[in-house]
Short mmCIF file of all heavy atoms in Angstrom, two decimals:
data_model
loop_
_atom_site.label_atom_id
_atom_site.label_comp_id
_atom_site.label_asym_id
_atom_site.label_seq_id
_atom_site.Cartn_x
_atom_site.Cartn_y
_atom_site.Cartn_z
N PRO A 234 -1.64 41.26 -12.54
CA PRO A 234 -2.96 41.87 -12.32
C PRO A 234 -3.58 41.41 -10.99
O PRO A 234 -3.71 40.22 -10.74
CB PRO A 234 -3.78 41.32 -13.50
CG PRO A 234 -3.13 40.03 -13.87
CD PRO A 234 -1.74 39.99 -13.31
N GLU A 235 -3.96 42.38 -10.18
CA GLU A 235 -4.66 42.05 -8.93
C GLU A 235 -6.15 42.03 -9.25
O GLU A 235 -6.69 43.00 -9.74
CB GLU A 235 -4.38 43.10 -7.86
CG GLU A 235 -2.90 43.29 -7.59
CD GLU A 235 -2.63 44.60 -6.84
OE1 GLU A 235 -3.29 44.86 -5.82
OE2 GLU A 235 -1.78 45.37 -7.30
N GLN A 236 -6.79 40.91 -8.97
CA GLN A 236 -8.18 40.71 -9.42
C GLN A 236 -9.15 40.79 -8.25
O GLN A 236 -9.07 40.00 -7.31
CB GLN A 236 -8.27 39.32 -10.08
CG GLN A 236 -9.65 38.88 -10.47
CD GLN A 236 -10.18 39.60 -11.70
OE1 GLN A 236 -9.49 39.72 -12.71
NE2 GLN A 236 -11.41 40.09 -11.62
N VAL A 298 -0.83 28.87 -12.68
CA VAL A 298 -1.02 30.28 -12.32
C VAL A 298 -0.50 30.47 -10.89
O VAL A 298 -0.91 29.75 -9.98
CB VAL A 298 -2.52 30.69 -12.37
CG1 VAL A 298 -2.70 32.13 -11.96
CG2 VAL A 298 -3.09 30.44 -13.76
N LEU A 314 -7.59 38.50 -5.36
CA LEU A 314 -6.53 37.51 -5.58
C LEU A 314 -5.48 38.13 -6.49
O LEU A 314 -5.82 38.74 -7.50
CB LEU A 314 -7.11 36.26 -6.26
CG LEU A 314 -6.10 35.15 -6.58
CD1 LEU A 314 -6.73 33.79 -6.36
CD2 LEU A 314 -5.53 35.23 -7.98
N PRO A 316 -1.81 37.16 -8.52
CA PRO A 316 -0.75 36.20 -8.86
C PRO A 316 0.60 36.92 -8.90
O PRO A 316 0.64 38.15 -8.81
CB PRO A 316 -1.15 35.77 -10.26
CG PRO A 316 -1.78 36.99 -10.86
CD PRO A 316 -2.39 37.79 -9.72
N GLU A 319 4.16 38.09 -14.55
CA GLU A 319 4.82 37.30 -15.59
C GLU A 319 4.73 38.04 -16.92
O GLU A 319 4.13 39.12 -16.98
CB GLU A 319 4.22 35.89 -15.67
CG GLU A 319 2.73 35.87 -15.77
CD GLU A 319 2.10 34.52 -15.41
OE1 GLU A 319 2.78 33.49 -15.47
OE2 GLU A 319 0.90 34.51 -15.08
N ILE A 323 1.38 36.05 -21.23
CA ILE A 323 0.94 34.94 -20.39
C ILE A 323 0.06 35.47 -19.25
O ILE A 323 -0.93 34.85 -18.87
CB ILE A 323 2.16 34.16 -19.87
CG1 ILE A 323 2.90 33.59 -21.09
CG2 ILE A 323 1.75 33.05 -18.92
CD1 ILE A 323 4.15 32.84 -20.77
N ALA A 324 0.41 36.66 -18.77
CA ALA A 324 -0.41 37.25 -17.70
C ALA A 324 -1.84 37.48 -18.18
O ALA A 324 -2.79 37.28 -17.43
CB ALA A 324 0.22 38.56 -17.23
N VAL A 325 -1.97 37.88 -19.44
CA VAL A 325 -3.31 38.11 -19.99
C VAL A 325 -4.07 36.78 -20.08
O VAL A 325 -5.22 36.68 -19.65
CB VAL A 325 -3.22 38.79 -21.39
CG1 VAL A 325 -4.57 38.78 -22.09
CG2 VAL A 325 -2.70 40.21 -21.25
N ASP A 326 -3.40 35.76 -20.60
CA ASP A 326 -4.05 34.44 -20.68
C ASP A 326 -4.42 33.96 -19.28
O ASP A 326 -5.52 33.46 -19.04
CB ASP A 326 -3.10 33.41 -21.32
CG ASP A 326 -2.96 33.63 -22.82
OD1 ASP A 326 -3.60 34.56 -23.35
OD2 ASP A 326 -2.19 32.88 -23.47
N HIS A 327 -3.48 34.10 -18.37
CA HIS A 327 -3.72 33.61 -17.02
C HIS A 327 -4.83 34.38 -16.32
O HIS A 327 -5.60 33.81 -15.55
CB HIS A 327 -2.42 33.63 -16.21
CG HIS A 327 -1.56 32.43 -16.48
ND1 HIS A 327 -0.29 32.29 -15.99
CD2 HIS A 327 -1.81 31.32 -17.21
CE1 HIS A 327 0.21 31.12 -16.41
NE2 HIS A 327 -0.69 30.53 -17.15
N ASN A 328 -4.91 35.67 -16.60
CA ASN A 328 -5.99 36.42 -15.96
C ASN A 328 -7.35 35.91 -16.46
O ASN A 328 -8.32 35.84 -15.70
CB ASN A 328 -5.84 37.92 -16.20
CG ASN A 328 -6.92 38.70 -15.48
OD1 ASN A 328 -7.81 39.29 -16.09
ND2 ASN A 328 -6.91 38.67 -14.16
N GLN A 329 -7.41 35.53 -17.73
CA GLN A 329 -8.66 34.93 -18.23
C GLN A 329 -8.95 33.64 -17.48
O GLN A 329 -10.08 33.37 -17.10
CB GLN A 329 -8.55 34.65 -19.73
CG GLN A 329 -8.55 35.89 -20.61
CD GLN A 329 -9.92 36.56 -20.69
OE1 GLN A 329 -10.91 36.05 -20.17
NE2 GLN A 329 -9.98 37.74 -21.30
N LEU A 330 -7.89 32.85 -17.27
CA LEU A 330 -8.09 31.59 -16.54
C LEU A 330 -8.50 31.85 -15.10
O LEU A 330 -9.31 31.12 -14.53
CB LEU A 330 -6.79 30.76 -16.57
CG LEU A 330 -6.51 30.00 -17.84
CD1 LEU A 330 -5.22 29.21 -17.71
CD2 LEU A 330 -7.66 29.05 -18.16
N VAL A 331 -7.92 32.88 -14.51
CA VAL A 331 -8.29 33.22 -13.12
C VAL A 331 -9.79 33.55 -13.07
O VAL A 331 -10.52 33.03 -12.23
CB VAL A 331 -7.45 34.42 -12.61
CG1 VAL A 331 -8.04 35.00 -11.33
CG2 VAL A 331 -6.00 33.99 -12.36
N MET A 332 -10.25 34.37 -14.01
CA MET A 332 -11.66 34.75 -13.99
C MET A 332 -12.57 33.54 -14.22
O MET A 332 -13.56 33.36 -13.52
CB MET A 332 -11.93 35.86 -15.02
CG MET A 332 -11.24 37.16 -14.67
SD MET A 332 -11.85 38.57 -15.63
CE MET A 332 -11.11 38.30 -17.22
N GLU A 333 -12.19 32.70 -15.17
CA GLU A 333 -13.00 31.50 -15.44
C GLU A 333 -13.01 30.57 -14.24
O GLU A 333 -14.04 30.02 -13.88
CB GLU A 333 -12.39 30.72 -16.62
CG GLU A 333 -12.74 31.28 -17.98
CD GLU A 333 -12.09 30.48 -19.11
OE1 GLU A 333 -12.05 29.22 -19.04
OE2 GLU A 333 -11.62 31.10 -20.05
N LYS A 361 -9.21 46.08 -11.35
CA LYS A 361 -8.12 45.15 -11.56
C LYS A 361 -6.88 46.02 -11.66
O LYS A 361 -6.79 46.84 -12.56
CB LYS A 361 -8.40 44.40 -12.85
CG LYS A 361 -7.49 43.31 -13.15
CD LYS A 361 -8.20 42.11 -13.72
CE LYS A 361 -9.09 42.32 -14.90
NZ LYS A 361 -9.87 41.13 -15.26
N GLY A 495 -11.08 47.63 -15.29
CA GLY A 495 -12.27 47.04 -14.67
C GLY A 495 -12.05 45.58 -14.32
O GLY A 495 -11.27 44.88 -14.97
N SER A 496 -12.77 45.12 -13.30
CA SER A 496 -12.55 43.75 -12.82
C SER A 496 -12.98 42.69 -13.82
O SER A 496 -12.43 41.60 -13.83
CB SER A 496 -13.30 43.55 -11.51
OG SER A 496 -14.64 43.97 -11.64
N ALA A 497 -13.98 42.98 -14.65
CA ALA A 497 -14.49 41.94 -15.55
C ALA A 497 -13.78 41.95 -16.90
O ALA A 497 -13.93 41.04 -17.70
CB ALA A 497 -15.99 42.14 -15.78
N ASP A 498 -13.00 42.98 -17.13
CA ASP A 498 -12.43 43.19 -18.46
C ASP A 498 -11.17 42.36 -18.68
O ASP A 498 -10.49 42.00 -17.73
CB ASP A 498 -12.07 44.68 -18.59
CG ASP A 498 -12.11 45.17 -20.02
OD1 ASP A 498 -12.47 44.38 -20.90
OD2 ASP A 498 -11.77 46.34 -20.24
N SER A 499 -10.88 42.10 -19.95
CA SER A 499 -9.59 41.50 -20.27
C SER A 499 -8.52 42.56 -20.06
O SER A 499 -8.76 43.74 -20.28
CB SER A 499 -9.60 41.08 -21.74
OG SER A 499 -8.28 41.00 -22.23
N ILE A 500 -7.34 42.14 -19.63
CA ILE A 500 -6.27 43.12 -19.46
C ILE A 500 -5.45 43.27 -20.74
O ILE A 500 -4.41 43.92 -20.75
CB ILE A 500 -5.34 42.79 -18.27
CG1 ILE A 500 -4.80 41.37 -18.39
CG2 ILE A 500 -6.04 43.04 -16.96
CD1 ILE A 500 -3.67 41.08 -17.42
#
Side-chain angles (χ1 to χ4, degrees):
E235 303 164 50
Q236 174 74 48
V298 178
L314 179 143
E319 50 198 338
I323 299 178
V325 169
D326 287 359
H327 278 173
N328 183 249
Q329 289 288 354
L330 281 181
V331 166
M332 293 194 285
E333 280 179 41
K361 187 139 53 187
S496 50
D498 207 4
S499 157
I500 53 168

